[in-house]
Amino acid sequence: MNDCDYDYDYDEWELRKMILGGSISQYITVVSELSIPDYIDKDINNINDLSNILNINQEKLLRLLRIGVSLKIFHEMRNSIFVLTNLGKLLRKNSVGSLREYSILKGQDWARKTLTGFNESLKLNKSAFETMHEENLFNYLENNDTSDLYHSSLKNISFYHDESIISSYDFSGFKSIADIGAGAGSLLAKILKENPKIQGVHFDQSSASKMAKKSSEFLGINNRVSFKSGDFFDEIPIVVDTYILKTILHDWNDEKAVKILSNLRKFIPENGKLLIIEIIMDEDEINGSIMDLEMLMFYGGKERTKGDYSRLLSAAGFSITNFYPTKSDVSIIEAIPFQDKNEEG
């Protein structure tokens, strides 16, 4: 392509917006931390009142809100009155599918520090997070008492997945289900509420188990769920009909993913099922994704194709039986154990 074929004005601005992405992300974090969308939602939406409540200079606050207008988070009415757009509504506290806590999570100092280690990590067998913090993300969260923010933020993202998963797969024939790495437990709770004959097991690190146990998600179904803490790299001593791994394997490299699957294989009954719920990349798609960038930087894992998961499962003694797309960005891979652990499918 000749240089004269470029639309410099368009291309330069599009690239500059990407370069400024870190500043935009931090802007959203600050707006969320200040609870500005919640104040506006309660009709505290003029500069005078907001300035007094937030103790922010009026000129700076007006600039802050008008930046949000350019990002389509706010809309400015006459007399500097602001209202929320549909995007802005997703930054309110306790709203359905809120991304407020996720935006605050991504603005934490430890998250920002991680970004600076990306270049060096590409030359190492480590994620950028491990490069900068000398331990993986989950151990860091556990050791620094920040797991609650992490799990609550992912719970809100899970809202978009859960209904599509339940509507795409029939759980009614199972007697017992274990959600491995269940986090806040929203998917397991919804499955149990939809299927009153199923018993459930929530399995995760101790901080996540304690958080889920106190959650309102399990109100009314506490008698049908047990909470077990553990490390899925050690062992998963749970025997149920069906095991769920929702957005777990993409957090880890192939070796560690096989380790998790192999630990499940030791306890799964011969007629048991394993449901892997992940973003499944197209086999013919050469492009990466934003989520693959997230895995590369923060987790050391990766997004995979159906063929990639087939190879991981085979290495751990499983074979794929069915594949279920959903209306969200995740799909469900159904797998069963080989009848002979040494069998190859």
Side-chain angles (χ1 to χ4, degrees):
M1 180 182 288
N2 192 293
D3 281 356
C4 65
D5 294 329
Y6 286 114
D7 182 343
Y8 279 104
D9 288 341
Y10 174 82
D11 293 333
E12 184 270 348
W13 178 236
E14 286 300 302
L15 183 57
R16 190 142 52 96
K17 282 194 293 185
M18 295 181 197
I19 294 169
L20 292 169
S23 299
I24 294 170
S25 176
Q26 194 63 26
Y27 168 86
I28 297 171
T29 293
V30 169
V31 165
S32 297
E33 289 176 333
L34 292 171
S35 298
I36 291 175
D38 293 286
Y39 287 122
I40 291 177
D41 192 48
K42 296 173 183 175
D43 292 330
I44 304 171
N45 55 2
N46 64 74
I47 290 299
N48 287 335
D49 291 344
L50 281 170
S51 177
N52 290 331
I53 289 173
L54 298 171
N55 192 28
I56 294 176
N57 171 275
Q58 284 196 20
E59 188 266 342
K60 282 191 173 182
L61 180 59
L62 185 59
R63 289 169 61 192
L64 191 74
L65 292 169
R66 284 176 173 166
I67 291 166
V69 171
S70 74
L71 295 172
K72 297 181 172 56
I73 293 172
F74 308 121
H75 177 70
E76 185 174 3
M77 311 291 281
R78 59 183 178 82
N79 301 323
S80 298
I81 301 281
F82 292 84
V83 296
L84 296 176
T85 64
N86 287 337
L87 286 183
K89 289 175 182 178
L90 291 175
L91 294 175
R92 296 172 299 175
K93 294 178 183 176
N94 303 319
S95 64
V96 175
S98 172
L99 294 176
R100 177 181 184 271
E101 287 172 294
Y102 186 63
S103 73
I104 292 174
L105 177 79
K106 300 305 287 185
Q108 298 297 297
D109 288 345
W110 54 262
R112 293 294 177 199
K113 181 180 178 182
T114 296
L115 305 181
T116 64
F118 188 34
N119 191 332
E120 183 182 354
S121 72
L122 295 175
K123 304 165 188 174
L124 305 170
N125 187 27
K126 293 181 179 180
S127 65
F129 190 95
E130 290 175 298
T131 301
M132 299 307 295
H133 299 283
E134 299 183 351
E135 59 184 331
N136 71 47
L137 173 64
F138 298 104
N139 288 342
Y140 179 91
L141 295 172
E142 196 82 359
N143 295 334
N144 290 274
D145 198 27
T146 55
S147 287
D148 282 3
L149 175 61
Y150 178 83
H151 289 300
S152 60
S153 69
L154 293 194
K155 170 189 170 184
N156 288 327
I157 292 176
S158 186
F159 165 81
Y160 296 98
H161 295 151
D162 293 348
E163 292 300 331
S164 68
I165 291 167
I166 291 172
S167 65
S168 301
Y169 190 86
D170 183 9
F171 293 90
S172 63
F174 301 128
K175 294 180 180 179
S176 54
I177 291 177
D179 193 345
I180 308 301
S186 62
L187 175 60
L188 178 62
K190 285 182 174 65
I191 291 171
L192 296 181
K193 288 174 182 176
E194 291 279 337
N195 300 275
K197 294 182 179 180
I198 296 178
Q199 296 289 319
V201 181
H202 177 289
F203 182 88
D204 209 324
Q205 291 179 302
S206 59
S207 59
S209 295
K210 289 176 184 176
M211 177 185 176
K213 198 170 186 177
K214 297 175 184 176
S215 170
S216 60
E217 294 282 343
F218 293 98
L219 285 176
I221 55 172
N222 302 73
N223 63 325
R224 292 195 289 121
V225 60
S226 59
F227 298 87
K228 297 185 182 297
S229 301
D231 182 348
F232 48 45
F233 290 117
D234 183 12
E235 65 173 0
I236 309 170
I238 299 168
V239 179
V240 291
D241 293 347
T242 302
Y243 300 79
I244 294 174
L245 286 171
K246 178 179 178 288
T247 57
I248 298 297
L249 297 181
H250 75 159
D251 292 340
W252 306 99
N253 62 29
D254 289 353
E255 180 183 357
K256 290 181 177 178
V258 170
K259 177 63 174 174
I260 295 169
L261 292 169
S262 297
N263 283 342
L264 274 174
R265 181 65 183 87
K266 294 174 184 176
F267 289 90
I268 189 170
E270 287 187 2
N271 61 347
K273 288 186 178 178
L274 169 61
L275 304 180
I276 294 172
I277 303 170
E278 295 279 4
I279 294 173
I280 308 297
M281 295 179 68
D282 193 315
E283 298 281 355
D284 300 320
E285 181 60 71
I286 61 172
N287 296 325
S289 71
I290 295 297
M291 286 308 299
D292 200 35
L293 176 61
E294 184 81 350
M295 296 304 111
L296 190 61
M297 294 183 71
F298 282 87
Y299 298 88
K302 60 182 179 180
E303 301 299 347
R304 296 179 172 94
T305 66
K306 185 179 176 182
D308 291 331
Y309 281 109
S310 179
R311 286 185 284 275
L312 292 181
L313 286 160
S314 180
F318 291 92
S319 59
I320 294 176
T321 53
N322 278 300
F323 177 79
Y324 301 86
T326 75
K327 292 180 180 178
S328 65
D329 59 349
V330 297
S331 297
I332 305 167
I333 293 176
E334 181 189 77
I336 59 172
F338 298 154
Q339 294 307 305
D340 179 345
K341 292 186 185 181
N342 296 316
E343 200 179 318
E344 293 196 5

